[in-house]
Amino acid sequence: MDVNEKIVECWLNNCKEMFTMSDVVYDKYFSAIDLLAVSLKGESGIEVWDIEVKFKSRMTISDTDNRQNGYRYIRQQLVSDDRDKRVREIVASSDCEIKKVLITTRHFLSRKKATYWEERFRKDGITLYFFDDIIVELREHAKGLNKSNDDILQVLRLLDHLSI
């Protein structure tokens, strides 16, 4: 798990009160779900998020690229039947809804076409969250803590204490 995924996992565990698994292999090519998150507080009793994390500070999404920065690649990765099958095996439920989530930077969607990309992901049933918002929420959460054993929350507490 890379540091970007650790930040997201910290947010899921502490701000969203979700249990998580990372790097869940789902096919014979060793493709992996970055994070799988489960909440027992959902309206239907269980809420499952299948999450891809893409922190991009220089690259922007492409409509024609079939590789990692391409829309088609990301979409195909998230809506894979093998992926859904593995999630259902883990949560032991064939009827729970699996929320497809992409966590990325606003920059990755490109300022000029952000609305276009947000709508396109929404139409494909993929929910977007942005690191900008996640960091703000985590920082607010960390401010209210007297101590933390979590490295990410502790760094945020230190930055707040130092007024950085």
Side-chain angles (χ1 to χ4, degrees):
M1 180 184 322
D2 69 22
V3 69
N4 302 312
E5 292 163 3
K6 287 180 183 180
I7 291 167
V8 173
E9 182 179 51
C10 181
W11 172 68
L12 291 164
N13 295 159
N14 292 281
C15 298
K16 298 298 183 192
E17 298 181 330
M18 298 180 92
F19 299 101
T20 55
M21 286 179 68
S22 63
D23 301 318
V24 179
V25 175
Y26 63 87
D27 68 13
K28 63 184 177 187
Y29 305 107
F30 300 101
S31 301
I33 298 168
D34 289 340
L35 288 161
L36 181 62
V38 177
S39 172
L40 303 177
K41 293 183 173 185
E43 291 177 19
S44 62
I46 186 172
E47 185 177 358
V48 179
W49 290 14
D50 172 357
I51 303 163
E52 270 305 304
V53 177
K54 299 230 179 268
F55 184 90
K56 303 292 181 183
S57 59
R58 295 176 191 235
M59 301 289 295
T60 56
I61 193 168
S62 164
D63 208 5
T64 56
D65 191 352
N66 283 327
R67 295 183 302 259
Q68 253 187 332
N69 296 320
Y71 174 80
R72 284 180 253 163
Y73 176 86
I74 295 167
R75 184 191 169 283
Q76 185 56 41
Q77 195 174 23
L78 274 164
V79 299
S80 158
D81 290 337
D82 288 338
R83 190 172 174 126
D84 282 356
K85 181 180 175 192
R86 182 69 180 123
V87 170
R88 292 187 189 292
E89 287 171 359
I90 291 168
V91 298
S93 175
S94 59
D95 63 347
C96 71
E97 182 182 336
I98 301 168
K99 182 176 181 177
K100 302 296 185 169
V101 175
L102 173 63
I103 296 177
T104 192
T105 57
R106 283 189 165 76
H107 173 83
F108 184 56
L109 299 188
S110 152
R111 294 189 193 275
K112 294 177 184 174
K113 294 181 77 177
T115 305
Y116 165 78
W117 288 117
E118 287 177 26
E119 182 62 20
R120 190 143 175 213
F121 278 112
R122 189 190 63 71
K123 282 182 180 175
D124 282 330
I126 298 169
T127 303
L128 293 170
Y129 288 94
F130 298 101
F131 273 99
D132 323 47
D133 304 324
I134 288 170
I135 296 295
V136 167
E137 194 173 345
L138 268 175
R139 247 186 133 152
E140 283 303 309
H141 178 76
K143 281 181 187 179
L145 301 174
N146 292 325
K147 69 173 198 161
S148 177
N149 293 329
D150 183 281
D151 294 345
I152 291 164
L153 289 175
Q154 187 60 19
V155 167
L156 292 172
R157 289 181 70 238
L158 287 167
L159 291 174
D160 189 54
H161 175 74
L162 298 172
S163 300
I164 295 176

